[in-house]
Amino acid sequence: MADALIRVLVTGGRDYTDRDTVARVLAHLQDFYIFGVEPEEIVLVHGDCKRFLEDGSIDLDRSLDQLAAQEASDLGWKTEPHEAKWDLY
């Protein structure tokens, strides 16, 4: 697998739930703005914000970070999560 040539940064709300828009925007970036690069050469950098359900499991349909990471993976992109260090910053 080649090293990532393109890095895409996504930041956004913890309560964002519009998966269709995320999927459409990432696909649009790949199709119209990232030329001559294979999907595995693209890395999505995101904040790794997670929302949890009452049972303690991760709510995969909430948080722009989680939605973007899932959709990027579906496109064949690498992902690079950066967990927030709220106690430090």
Side-chain angles (χ1 to χ4, degrees):
M1 189 178 300
D3 291 332
L5 297 176
I6 301 292
R7 296 168 62 80
V8 176
L9 173 66
V10 171
T11 63
R14 297 179 190 179
D15 292 315
Y16 191 84
T17 60
D18 190 349
R19 179 183 298 276
D20 291 338
T21 296
V22 173
R24 189 173 59 254
V25 168
L26 294 181
H28 186 78
L29 282 173
Q30 180 172 292
D31 293 343
F32 296 101
Y33 292 97
I34 302 173
F35 299 102
V37 176
E38 296 298 320
E40 63 271 10
E41 297 174 313
I42 304 168
V43 62
L44 177 94
V45 180
H46 65 91
D48 201 29
C49 178
K50 296 177 178 75
R51 286 294 204 183
F52 295 92
L53 299 170
E54 288 182 18
D55 66 3
S57 63
I58 296 173
D59 184 350
L60 297 176
D61 295 319
R62 190 163 218 79
S63 164
L64 179 60
D65 296 335
Q66 293 301 303
L67 295 175
Q70 293 165 38
E71 295 301 324
S73 290
D74 288 349
L75 290 170
W77 300 10
K78 297 176 185 178
T79 62
E80 183 181 300
H82 291 270
E83 188 172 341
K85 296 180 173 90
W86 297 109
D87 57 332
L88 183 60
Y89 300 107

